[in-house]
Amino acid sequence: MTIAEHFESGCIYHIYSHANGKDLLFVENSNYQYFLDRLLKYIIPVAGIYAYCLMPNHFHLLIRFKDLAGDKIDDEHQYLMRPFSNFLNSYAKAYNRRYNRKGALFLDFLRRKRVQDEKYLLKLLHYIHNNPVHHGFVSQADKWKYSSYNSYTNVEKPSSVEREEILKYFDSKEDFLGYHKSSVEYDFMNLE
């Protein structure tokens, strides 16, 4: 089951969560930016971000944990989980204060799935970047400003997204763009 997978250093994961019930995670533009700021503060020290997409009621991340081989850590999973807990709690507390609400903002658990191979990695990249298209918010991935897609299409602009690792799988920028515009079959049981 997806939620039971333990985090391991050096591994790539699809991480996602949903707002509790019918709540929204992002009500206004500043919420998206604050979430990204928190993401950089808490997650960059332990992981590289390959892709992200923030939707009004859920988010997707594609990350690779840094290698902890030389570090003495008793419980690697807990060590890697703590920044995510701090990140989501930090966001939820600020959100609850801002909108005068109480209670859990996110579902009770952080969903995660380990990426085992290149084919799955590329399907996830396509899925994450095309999530706003899939949900009918925009007609093309480049129209959604709360994802990492445009970071890949404008490589001259500095980014916290680790584009180089992903771009190695594509022969050119045109190849990357074509892949994202192509139709990719998803096995949702494996993606989520």
Side-chain angles (χ1 to χ4, degrees), residues 52-68:
Y52 69 85
C53 185
L54 311 182
M55 301 294 291
N57 67 353
H58 69 283
F59 69 86
H60 294 274
L61 302 173
L62 183 59
I63 61 110
R64 181 185 179 280
F65 283 112
K66 294 177 180 175
D67 193 1
L68 303 173

Side-chain angles (χ1 to χ4, degrees), residues 50-53 124-133 141-142 144 147-150 152 176 180:
Y50 288 160
Y52 69 85
C53 185
L124 275 171
L125 184 71
H126 187 282
Y127 175 74
I128 289 170
H129 285 156
N130 279 288
N131 209 254
V133 177
D142 66 335
W144 190 253
S147 86
S148 54
Y149 180 81
N150 289 323
Y152 282 94
F176 175 88
H180 279 79

Side-chain angles (χ1 to χ4, degrees), residues 4-39:
E5 290 193 33
H6 277 48
F7 285 147
E8 291 180 40
S9 69
C11 295
I12 301 171
Y13 289 86
H14 175 208
I15 298 171
Y16 51 104
S17 190
H18 195 283
N20 202 10
K22 295 186 186 276
D23 286 343
L24 294 176
L25 297 178
F26 311 104
V27 177
E28 52 191 286
N29 289 341
S30 62
N31 300 147
Y32 290 96
Q33 189 56 54
Y34 187 75
F35 187 91
L36 290 173
D37 291 344
R38 302 289 84 195
L39 176 69

Side-chain angles (χ1 to χ4, degrees), residues 106-143:
F106 296 96
L107 292 178
D108 290 343
F109 50 85
L110 184 65
R111 294 178 178 170
R112 55 202 180 263
K113 184 148 181 74
R114 187 171 168 179
V115 177
Q116 301 285 2
D117 58 53
E118 177 183 322
K119 183 178 177 184
Y120 181 54
L121 175 71
L122 294 177
K123 277 189 174 190
L124 275 171
L125 184 71
H126 187 282
Y127 175 74
I128 289 170
H129 285 156
N130 279 288
N131 209 254
V133 177
H134 171 75
H135 287 289
F137 286 97
V138 291
S139 59
Q140 298 174 343
D142 66 335
K143 304 289 186 215

Side-chain angles (χ1 to χ4, degrees), residues 159-187:
S159 175
S160 298
V161 175
E162 293 194 11
R163 304 177 284 213
E164 300 78 29
E165 280 300 309
I166 296 298
L167 289 174
K168 289 178 187 175
Y169 293 102
F170 299 94
D171 293 332
S172 64
K173 180 179 176 180
E174 290 71 29
D175 188 27
F176 175 88
L177 295 172
Y179 177 70
H180 279 79
K181 290 178 182 174
S182 70
S183 179
V184 171
E185 289 291 321
Y186 303 126
D187 176 358

